[in-house]
Amino acid sequence: MKIILFFNLFISTYYFSQNNNDIEWNKYENEFYSINYPKEWKSKGSEYAFLTGESIKFIEAGWILIISDFNNKERIDFFFEDSFNDYKTTKREIIVDGVKGNHFTHKKENEFIEILILKSESKWFKFQNNEIKDDNFKEFYTSFKLKK
């Protein structure tokens, strides 16, 4: 019994350390914001978007950040699209770098979508994963820093 308990503890400790502590991070930075992403991933950033993953094509990116001015109606509509009717959805309030917003999770079968929508004094920010639960996604969005 002690051997099994020790083995389970060892395996869960190893799994946690592999998922969180052993990743090396790079920082993307421009004049508006900075954000960290896994070192082995590709990245592409601009004033209004940041994509990272094994691919940086929009539909295939691992994680995305989209930024919108308040007057960009098309982009704001995209932020608030309601295409998750068939999903189990949870919502909680969140603050990232002093910016308040909401954190949504949408679950259905093998899909796990995380979306954060934040509103600063002048912009909207939408962070999204790519349908796969990844504990490192939190490290990504909490590394976000606005330049003031």
Side-chain angles (χ1 to χ4, degrees):
M1 178 71 171
K2 289 181 182 180
I3 293 173
I4 293 172
L5 182 60
F6 174 77
F7 182 73
N8 285 341
L9 181 61
F10 175 77
I11 293 297
S12 63
T13 302
Y14 176 78
Y15 178 78
F16 180 79
S17 70
Q18 291 299 306
N19 280 335
N20 293 306
N21 299 333
D22 291 344
I23 289 183
E24 292 185 49
W25 296 85
N26 276 343
K27 179 184 276 189
Y28 172 80
E29 196 166 7
N30 64 26
E31 62 186 280
F32 306 102
Y33 64 91
S34 68
I35 194 159
N36 297 341
Y37 64 96
K39 187 175 185 175
E40 70 276 4
W41 282 11
K42 298 175 185 174
S43 69
K44 182 178 182 180
S46 71
E47 178 182 356
Y48 291 101
F50 179 79
L51 303 140
T52 187
E54 293 177 5
S55 171
I56 53 173
K57 294 179 182 175
F58 181 77
I59 199 75
E60 298 172 2
W63 305 328
I64 62 171
L65 164 61
I66 302 171
I67 302 167
S68 177
D69 294 321
F70 288 156
N71 60 357
N72 187 332
K73 183 171 175 7
E74 181 179 323
R75 191 168 278 206
I76 291 170
D77 288 346
F78 171 72
F79 276 29
F80 294 102
E81 69 179 333
D82 189 16
S83 59
F84 299 104
N85 294 330
D86 296 341
Y87 293 76
K88 180 181 177 191
T89 298
T90 60
K91 173 184 166 184
R92 65 182 171 87
E93 292 181 1
I94 192 167
I95 298 174
V96 176
D97 192 35
V99 181
K100 292 182 181 180
N102 290 299
H103 178 272
F104 300 89
T105 57
H106 306 286
K107 298 176 189 176
K108 180 172 96 172
E109 298 170 11
N110 295 331
E111 294 180 44
F112 183 89
I113 300 168
E114 280 185 87
I115 297 175
L116 283 81
I117 298 180
L118 309 175
K119 181 182 178 185
S120 73
E121 294 176 4
S122 61
K123 297 200 184 301
W124 288 99
F125 305 89
K126 181 178 184 179
F127 300 80
Q128 184 170 340
N129 74 341
N130 194 8
E131 301 180 5
I132 299 169
K133 183 168 176 49
D134 183 345
D135 294 334
N136 295 308
F137 181 64
K138 182 177 181 178
E139 296 292 326
F140 170 69
Y141 68 75
T142 58
S143 74
F144 176 74
K145 304 285 184 242
L146 279 173
K147 301 227 177 150
K148 300 179 180 173

